[in-house]
Amino acid sequence: MPYETGAKVKLTRDVQLTAEGAAARTGFPGPLCLAEGLAGIVTGSAAEAGGGLAQEGLAEFERSVGGVQFDGFTAGVIDNLRQQIIRQGGLAAGAGAQIRYTVRFENGFVLGGLEEGCLTRA
């Protein structure tokens, strides 16, 4: 069941953060995990490609920019490009697209890339 912006949710399992601050399967695993049951509020969502050419493009993009530390403005521009690739993949993939959520948790973490299966209504 899709979640709208502002919905109160909880994690259904532990989620490991990646170096890019995302829960998606891209990037390198980071040293932090958010624990099952942690509550938060959905602040946004985006359709992600279900595979194919767009997914390969996203993986190549992640390889190109992964592991590099950018200033705030540049990081924002790169995240905007990443979201454009994801949206284009969602349009191309049609029914195969997944929705990924951005959630602001009670402990202050804001995490993007959460799959619907990681969340439940609080």
Side-chain angles (χ1 to χ4, degrees):
M1 167 183 243
Y3 300 103
E4 64 281 349
T5 301
K8 294 181 181 181
V9 294
K10 286 186 180 183
L11 287 175
T12 59
R13 61 178 181 257
D14 291 353
V15 175
Q16 186 171 16
L17 280 65
T18 65
E20 286 83 30
R25 291 186 180 101
T26 59
F28 301 103
L32 297 174
C33 281
L34 296 180
E36 176 183 344
L38 184 62
I41 296 176
V42 174
T43 60
S45 63
E48 180 183 79
L53 202 53
Q55 191 69 13
E56 292 171 15
L58 181 59
E60 181 61 32
F61 180 80
E62 294 293 346
R63 280 191 290 276
S64 298
V65 299
V68 179
Q69 189 167 8
F70 298 102
D71 62 71
F73 175 78
T74 305
V77 170
I78 289 173
D79 189 52
N80 187 10
L81 290 171
R82 182 180 293 114
Q83 293 303 317
Q84 288 180 22
I85 292 170
I86 290 169
R87 280 192 293 276
Q88 287 299 322
L91 293 174
Q98 280 187 359
I99 298 175
R100 295 201 179 257
Y101 297 93
T102 301
V103 178
R104 177 178 298 278
F105 291 99
E106 292 174 336
N107 64 3
F109 276 97
V110 176
L111 186 59
L114 286 164
E115 297 175 349
E116 193 171 328
C118 293
L119 302 170
T120 187
R121 293 219 182 258

